[in-house]
Amino acid sequence: MTPDLSALKWNANGLIPAIVQQHDSKEVLMVAWMNEESLSKTLETSQTWFWSRSRKELWNKGATSGNTQQVTEVRFDCDADTLLVLVDAAGAACHTGERSCFFRVLGRDAVEPL
Amino acid sequence: MTPDLSALKWNANGLIPAIVQQHDSKEVLMVAWMNEESLSKTLETSQTWFWSRSRKELWNKGATSGNTQQVTEVRFDCDADTLLVLVDAAGAACHTGERSCFFRVLGRDAVEPL
């Protein structure tokens, strides 16, 4: 079945947040944004493609770092406004080198963007 | 350590997205929004509190349904603009009665808000 991507609830900028989760361990790795083109490319290639709001361009996770993400399934929530992308991630998902972007705990670690 | 919540990156509306994950199975249950007050109440009470953008009010998950969420840990990502709230969820997280809001698969299920 070819999904009707236009039926997803894209925000005012044509974007939808995508939570990326390791398919077997269920670790939440990262969150990034997709537009319809990046989601289409993700489904076509089974590799994650996102939209960079700062650079205003598509990016393929791992294209430069080698830390690619093989997509096993894409889920969406009851509001159809958030995606859950199940992947098999090679190496770190975070630009800091951590496996997951969510490596800090509120109340234990200093709160600031890295 | 009392976390400095003001150091989180709140959006233009003073909100931050919170991914809610079952702490042991690692199932992603839902995504909702928090403002600083709802996050403070979440930390104080160890129950999840969110900000409803449609009703413009705080809501305590499970207050009416009984499907409460006991918070075990709150994580935040490298950008400090997304929270990962680990919980022990009693019953369904989704208003549809499903355990998780992410029960539909792109390419298998019809895409529309429920």
Side-chain angles (χ1 to χ4, degrees):
Chain A
M1 186 170 103
T2 304
D4 177 12
L5 302 186
S6 68
L8 289 167
K9 279 178 69 182
W10 306 88
N11 74 9
N13 297 315
L15 302 176
I16 195 168
I19 304 166
V20 180
Q21 184 179 34
Q22 173 67 28
H23 75 101
D24 45 10
S25 71
K26 308 294 190 205
E27 185 176 19
V28 173
L29 299 173
M30 56 182 281
V31 173
W33 293 91
M34 289 187 176
N35 60 11
E36 193 163 330
E37 184 182 1
S38 70
L39 178 54
S40 293
K41 287 179 80 79
T42 296
L43 295 171
E44 284 163 23
T45 64
S46 293
Q47 295 280 317
T48 50
W49 285 82
F50 303 102
W51 176 255
S52 169
R53 294 177 300 171
S54 55
R55 298 193 309 273
K56 301 190 189 314
E57 62 180 21
L58 292 183
W59 60 286
N60 172 211
K61 175 69 185 170
T64 52
S65 67
N67 296 334
T68 54
Q69 297 173 336
Q70 178 76 24
V71 176
T72 62
E73 194 169 76
V74 179
R75 295 176 163 269
F76 58 100
D77 72 348
C78 53
D79 295 329
D81 66 358
T82 306
L83 301 175
L84 181 63
V85 182
L86 299 174
V87 304
D88 190 16
C94 188
H95 76 286
T96 61
E98 298 278 349
R99 172 77 179 166
S100 162
C101 294
F102 292 91
F103 59 92
R104 290 182 292 171
V105 176
L106 206 59
R108 185 194 72 189
D109 301 305
V111 181
E112 55 188 22
L114 294 180
Chain B
M1 185 169 103
T2 303
D4 176 12
L5 302 185
S6 68
L8 288 167
K9 279 178 70 181
W10 305 88
N11 75 10
N13 297 315
L15 302 176
I16 194 167
I19 304 165
V20 180
Q21 184 179 33
Q22 174 67 29
H23 75 100
D24 44 10
S25 70
K26 308 294 189 204
E27 185 176 19
V28 173
L29 300 173
M30 57 181 282
V31 174
W33 293 92
M34 290 186 175
N35 61 10
E36 194 163 330
E37 185 182 1
S38 69
L39 177 54
S40 293
K41 286 178 80 80
T42 297
L43 295 172
E44 283 164 23
T45 64
S46 293
Q47 295 280 318
T48 49
W49 286 82
F50 303 102
W51 176 254
S52 169
R53 294 176 302 169
S54 54
R55 298 193 310 272
K56 300 191 190 313
E57 63 180 21
L58 293 183
W59 59 286
N60 172 212
K61 175 70 185 169
T64 52
S65 67
N67 296 334
T68 53
Q69 296 173 336
Q70 178 76 24
V71 176
T72 62
E73 194 169 76
V74 179
R75 295 177 163 268
F76 58 100
D77 73 346
C78 54
D79 295 330
D81 65 0
T82 306
L83 300 175
L84 181 63
V85 182
L86 299 174
V87 303
D88 191 15
C94 188
H95 75 286
T96 62
E98 298 277 348
R99 172 78 179 165
S100 162
C101 294
F102 293 92
F103 60 92
R104 290 183 292 171
V105 176
L106 207 59
R108 186 194 72 188
D109 301 306
V111 180
E112 55 188 19
L114 295 180

